[in-house]
Amino acid sequence: MAQRAEQDTGQRADDQRSEQDDDPPPGQRAERQGHPGEPRLPAACAVVVAIALYSALPSHLILGPRFVVPALELLLFVPLVAVNPWRMRRENRLLRRLSIGLVLLIAVTNTVALVLLVEQLVAGRTDNGKQLLLAAGQVWLTNIIIFAMAYWELDRGGPVQRTQARGRKLPVADFRFPQDEDHDAIGEVAARSSVKSGWTPGFVDYFYVSVTNSSAFSPTDTMPLSARAKLLMATESVSALLLSVLVIARGVGLLK
């Protein structure tokens, strides 16, 4: 019995040493060979929702004819989906510019809608509280999508670079996620960490960051590291605060 116990103890020690040998050096991401690329569907759904929300805004909050801007957004969006229909694996300078241009176009048009909405409130030109609240909700949700897309496109070089680049070729991070530092936690938590599993953030992770930042008016579990990330998060917080305090409050008052 004693001999068997010693053999079991030795076997466990060997297993532990083997696991330690398999771990990457401290602070280095585990390599995931042949990563299939990030799924296209979550980001594509978000773009479609943003386009639909803008198309459904009241006419006095829209630039020009109703479907001109949505048509331009689709014109930028379709080539991106055609090149990477299922997984984000291929990228070049033109595709990168198209994707950034799409985010900027959605952002500019939604900002104009927000400014027009606030201007009408300050001037007292609206007495339809239900329409106002609905428009404010549309602008707010679109704002969340816009910043989620901006975080997703900029952090660590974008969705293609995050999964296809290896080692030192991966650009520096704009955000620090919990998984980036969970490698020394309890086993079942550490198993999902970047160091142990090669985890990389996807669109859903950035969408969650955007939702929490827009709701709490500050970062929660994910911290901005770069100046541009901090400015983006500050801009989102201020715009969400403006909607909450001015637009929604005014709309509730009109409902009474």
Side-chain angles (χ1 to χ4, degrees), residues 146-173:
I146 290 167
F147 282 96
M149 292 176 62
Y151 304 152
W152 178 69
E153 287 285 2
L154 296 178
D155 187 31
R156 311 175 202 210
V160 176
Q161 285 289 320
R162 281 193 298 272
T163 60
Q164 303 305 307
R166 287 292 179 265
R168 295 182 180 179
K169 294 182 179 179
L170 187 66
V172 296

Side-chain angles (χ1 to χ4, degrees), residues 4-231:
R4 177 173 297 179
E6 290 178 358
Q7 291 176 348
D8 292 341
T9 301
Q11 182 64 39
R12 286 196 296 270
D14 291 340
D15 291 342
Q16 290 176 354
R17 284 194 295 270
S18 178
E19 291 178 359
Q20 292 174 355
D21 292 340
D22 293 338
D23 287 345
Q28 181 175 323
R29 182 186 303 275
E31 293 292 339
R32 296 175 62 182
Q33 301 298 328
H35 195 291
E38 182 179 339
R40 159 67 74 180
L41 185 60
C45 290
V47 172
V48 172
V49 169
I51 295 174
L53 287 172
Y54 183 82
S55 301
L57 282 173
S59 57
H60 54 269
L61 300 180
I62 290 179
L63 284 174
R66 179 171 296 275
F67 295 108
V68 169
V69 170
L72 291 175
E73 292 169 345
L74 288 174
L75 189 64
L76 295 174
F77 180 54
V78 169
L80 297 174
V81 175
V83 173
N84 291 303
W86 305 111
R87 295 277 180 172
M88 307 287 294
R89 300 183 63 179
R90 293 182 292 273
E91 184 179 65
N92 56 38
R93 183 173 298 179
L94 176 59
L95 292 174
R96 185 70 175 152
R97 289 177 177 176
L98 284 176
S99 59
I100 297 296
L102 177 61
V103 176
L104 290 175
L105 179 58
I106 298 174
V108 169
T109 54
N110 195 64
T111 301
V112 171
L114 173 61
V115 171
L116 292 174
L117 188 61
V118 172
E119 190 272 334
Q120 289 191 7
L121 286 171
V122 173
R125 296 178 183 173
T126 180
D127 56 359
N128 191 334
K130 292 182 180 180
Q131 184 185 65
L132 175 66
L133 285 177
L134 181 59
Q138 291 171 249
V139 172
W140 178 74
L141 181 54
T142 305
N143 215 43
I144 289 176
I145 294 174
I146 290 167
F147 282 96
M149 292 176 62
Y151 304 152
W152 178 69
E153 287 285 2
L154 296 178
D155 187 31
R156 311 175 202 210
V160 176
Q161 285 289 320
R162 281 193 298 272
T163 60
Q164 303 305 307
R166 287 292 179 265
R168 295 182 180 179
K169 294 182 179 179
L170 187 66
V172 296
D174 291 285
F175 294 93
R176 186 190 70 204
F177 287 85
Q179 290 90 335
D180 293 326
E181 51 189 6
D182 283 347
H183 57 277
D184 57 353
I186 192 171
E188 58 270 25
V189 176
R192 293 181 179 272
S193 68
S194 300
V195 171
K196 297 285 186 178
S197 68
W199 176 89
T200 56
F203 181 80
V204 174
D205 300 292
Y206 295 103
F207 183 78
Y208 173 78
V209 172
S210 185
V211 170
T212 55
N213 187 53
S214 185
S215 303
F217 312 126
S218 65
T220 53
D221 63 341
T222 301
M223 295 292 107
L225 301 178
S226 65
R228 67 181 181 181
K230 293 174 183 178
L231 289 173

Side-chain angles (χ1 to χ4, degrees), residues 118-119 121-122 132 241-251:
V118 172
E119 190 272 334
L121 286 171
V122 173
L132 175 66
L241 183 62
L242 179 65
L243 276 171
S244 300
V245 173
L246 181 59
V247 180
I248 297 179
R250 176 62 174 165

